[in-house]
Amino acid sequence: MSYTMKVLEKVIQKNPNEPEFHQAVTETLTALQPYVDAHPEYERAGILERLCEPERVIIFRVPWVDDSGKVRINKGYRVQFNSAIGPYKGGLRFHPSVCLSIIKFLGFEQVLKNSLTGQPIGGGKGGSDFDPKGKSDREIMAFCQSFMTELFRHIGEDTDVPAGDIGVGEREIGFLYGQYKRLTNSCKGVLTGKGLSYGGSLIRTQATGYGLVYLIDEMLRQHGESFENKTVVVSGSGNVAIYAVEKAQQLGAKVVAMSDSDGFVYDADGIDIKIVKEIKEEKRGRISEYTDYKQSAVYTRGKGIWSIKCDIALPCATQNELDENDAEKLVKNGCFVVGEGANMPATIEATKVFLQNRVLFVPGKAANAGGVAVSALEMSQNSMRTSWTFEKVDRKLREIMTNIYNNISSVAKEVGQEDNFIVGANIAAFKKVADAMLKQGIV
Ligand code: NDP
Ligand code: 2IT
């Protein structure tokens, strides 16, 4: 058995009950196999074993008091996965499904994604099984303060810099940052996604969604295509989805559907993103409310968004939201581009369907890297004690996404797998991390 497959088998055996982590490692090691097996220096240095084992895992208790006076306990996590190319960097997710497997898969992906950004950032991820839905602002604050009361001792501007992810946006980052300052008596750039009045960067809010569309736009351009007049379906209606829709529309696409975990809305005229922003960003409501604003739109409860006919699909909600059946439906309906705004939204079987049918499929570690890339720009601005203009950060984001596309596309070509961006992204990302690890010795 090859070195790569031996490591994969061991990872699965030694980390039981972690299906999402197994899935992420399987995708990556399968893509890396021919490349790694042709380079015995990686096996000699145990690079894959080290890549798949987090440098440190922190699990802690988060006690807080709800509005009725009841004591509540959640689990808190921070997985400091790999610091070969810089401080651990990656978001915090607050969602009831959060468990070690999910945080480890996200941390593993983050290491490779951050490598692709070209910025000096390692990878980490954290979060909690806390459910922010239906909680008052005071409850959110109490939870964030308690979470940071443990987390603060493990993070630092040159050590580990958390940010947002599902359930963690500017409000939560504000509460976390306030508590960090109070505990440490210092105003360091230890979190990204901060508000603009206290060290945040312009474009960070838009970065993941805009970056996704910038990368796909570059890929379309290099294939003689564009977003102009394309029909697009975007799942989710959170931070990533909203700004993916906004940018796709600015580039001339017609986005006909969005969703949340309850169902999806179809608007044949094209989604009015102002309505979605009002429902989601201002009222923290549900996508079903869209039809209150626009009666001609149709809301459907449950899954099914991938049955809608489209040219381009952008899954921007969560892991494994698009399976083999969904992929087959998309292909049958003529979809020819899929870009992962979320982390690992397509199952491995779904990605196989896309590749077999020559769909241009860009995996999340490349397609959604714009968010963390602008986080790294936020870190730079904080260190320099300056803030750049909207135009400057936007230009840098576009450049970074174009570079990522060119990088993953040329690596795919080099290994004789043109347009296989799973192979291109994993090898391109791995090379840089592995090179840094080789040079730093056995650590
Ligand atoms: P938000 O919390 O802002 O939005 C999440 C969206 O996804 C909501 O519409 C939510 O619906 C939906 N969703 C979440 N969980 C599920 C589920 N189990 N089933 C169906 N729908 C679900 O998060 P983000 O937009 O920030 O994150 C979306 C994805 O993008 C995640 O995979 C995240 O890891 C990834 N990502 C985020 C980045 C960022 O900068 N924020 C950067 C790179 C990737 P509901 O309200 O019903 O829960
Ligand atoms: O998955 C991701 O890349 C993020 N949630 C963003 C991480 C960050 O540090 O900005």
Side-chain angles (χ1 to χ4, degrees):
M1 201 192 291
S2 75
Y3 166 54
T4 315
M5 290 302 119
K6 270 191 282 192
V7 173
L8 178 58
E9 206 175 82
K10 221 175 194 171
V11 167
I12 291 173
Q13 183 207 334
K14 286 200 159 192
N15 299 276
N17 309 316
E18 295 182 7
E20 293 85 3
F21 180 56
H22 298 171
Q23 184 181 337
V25 174
T26 302
E27 184 213 276
T28 292
L29 295 197
T30 308
L32 290 177
Q33 183 178 8
Y35 177 77
V36 166
D37 291 340
H39 289 83
E41 67 272 24
Y42 294 136
E43 179 169 9
R44 279 198 298 274
I47 291 289
L48 289 184
E49 292 89 329
R50 286 194 273 154
L51 190 74
C52 296
E53 189 66 44
E55 288 176 20
R56 193 173 296 107
V57 174
I58 301 146
I59 302 182
F60 50 99
R61 178 172 71 202
V62 190
W64 56 285
V65 180
D66 72 15
D67 284 347
S68 71
K70 190 167 177 281
V71 174
R72 305 272 206 115
I73 307 296
N74 287 98
K75 272 182 185 293
Y77 300 86
R78 187 71 183 167
V79 174
Q80 299 181 329
F81 221 110
N82 191 303
S83 60
I85 59 179
Y88 311 110
K89 180 84 198 83
L92 298 171
R93 176 178 291 191
F94 293 170
H95 191 272
S97 64
V98 163
C99 58
L100 188 58
S101 173
I102 288 187
I103 299 298
K104 281 177 69 181
F105 115 67
L106 290 165
F108 181 80
E109 286 285 295
Q110 198 82 47
V111 172
L112 298 161
K113 180 194 309 190
N114 293 3
S115 162
L116 288 175
T117 65
Q119 304 288 311
I121 41 178
K125 200 86 188 189
S128 175
D129 59 357
F130 173 74
D131 186 358
K133 277 204 194 88
K135 301 288 190 297
S136 69
D137 281 354
R138 194 213 59 83
E139 288 176 320
I140 299 282
M141 181 176 75
F143 177 81
C144 288
Q145 290 180 342
S146 180
F147 187 86
M148 184 53 86
T149 300
E150 173 59 31
L151 186 69
F152 88 98
R153 71 192 79 246
H154 307 291
I155 61 177
E157 60 188 330
D158 295 318
T159 311
D160 183 355
V161 184
D165 192 79
I166 291 178
V168 178
E170 197 183 315
R171 173 182 58 169
E172 292 72 21
I173 294 292
F175 292 145
L176 291 162
Y177 187 65
Q179 183 72 353
Y180 180 84
K181 276 196 324 180
R182 191 178 182 201
L183 289 164
T184 60
N185 193 29
S186 73
C187 295
K188 295 196 176 122
V190 73
L191 293 166
T192 60
K194 299 186 290 299
L196 293 177
S197 55
Y198 62 93
S201 173
L202 284 161
I203 298 276
R204 178 62 191 88
T205 305
Q206 297 87 344
T208 312
Y210 278 20
L212 166 68
V213 172
Y214 288 153
L215 184 141
I216 299 297
D217 189 46
E218 182 60 25
M219 176 178 77
L220 287 168
R221 198 184 63 75
Q222 295 193 23
H223 287 79
E225 284 280 3
S226 77
F227 267 105
E228 195 79 42
N229 298 323
K230 295 294 183 304
T231 302
V232 180
V233 167
V234 177
S235 65
S237 46
N239 173 261
V240 179
I242 286 174
Y243 292 97
V245 171
E246 183 170 280
K247 186 52 74 179
Q249 289 178 335
Q250 285 171 10
L251 298 183
K254 185 174 184 185
V255 182
V256 294
M258 293 182 79
S259 64
D260 60 23
S261 57
D262 294 331
F264 62 95
V265 67
Y266 175 78
D267 186 342
D269 304 330
I271 293 281
D272 183 339
I273 198 65
K274 281 207 292 299
I275 297 178
V276 179
K277 281 186 181 180
E278 188 172 324
I279 296 169
K280 288 285 171 175
E281 294 185 336
E282 281 163 42
K283 293 167 52 187
R284 297 182 185 276
R286 311 301 300 157
I287 201 69
S288 58
E289 293 164 39
Y290 188 90
T291 54
D292 300 342
Y293 293 79
K294 205 165 163 207
Q295 277 80 28
S296 62
V298 182
Y299 176 73
T300 308
R301 275 194 82 78
K303 291 180 186 289
I305 192 169
W306 306 121
S307 308
I308 298 170
K309 187 173 162 51
C310 63
D311 303 304
I312 298 172
L314 304 176
C316 295
T318 194
Q319 65 276 352
N320 293 329
E321 55 161 311
L322 194 167
D323 66 17
E324 191 176 5
N325 284 333
D326 298 323
E328 276 161 4
K329 278 185 219 147
L330 284 167
V331 169
K332 200 169 119 254
N333 284 332
C335 171
F336 73 105
V337 168
V338 177
E340 292 191 318
N343 285 304
M344 208 169 74
T347 63
I348 291 184
E349 292 71 27
T351 61
K352 285 185 186 151
V353 172
F354 292 138
L355 292 184
Q356 279 155 13
N357 289 280
R358 304 206 58 76
V359 170
L360 296 170
F361 173 82
V362 187
K365 56 173 71 72
N368 70 39
V372 75
V374 173
S375 278
L377 301 179
E378 183 173 330
M379 289 163 71
S380 301
Q381 292 169 79
N382 291 165
S383 306
M384 295 164 75
R385 301 201 182 283
T386 189
S387 39
W388 296 332
T389 61
F390 187 95
E391 291 70 29
K392 178 164 176 170
V393 185
D394 193 35
R395 195 171 59 243
K396 282 179 179 285
L397 171 62
R398 186 152 197 147
E399 259 169 41
I400 290 171
M401 299 315 294
T402 304
N403 288 343
I404 293 176
Y405 177 71
N406 287 332
N407 188 11
I408 66 174
S409 154
S410 61
V411 170
K413 245 183 239 154
E414 269 165 38
V415 299
Q417 301 227 40
E418 188 164 356
D419 288 347
N420 184 334
F421 305 117
I422 300 181
V423 164
N426 280 294
I427 296 179
F430 170 78
K431 269 180 162 175
K432 182 172 172 191
V433 178
D435 179 64
M437 289 172 75
L438 285 172
K439 289 183 171 147
Q440 291 172 39
I442 309 299
V443 291

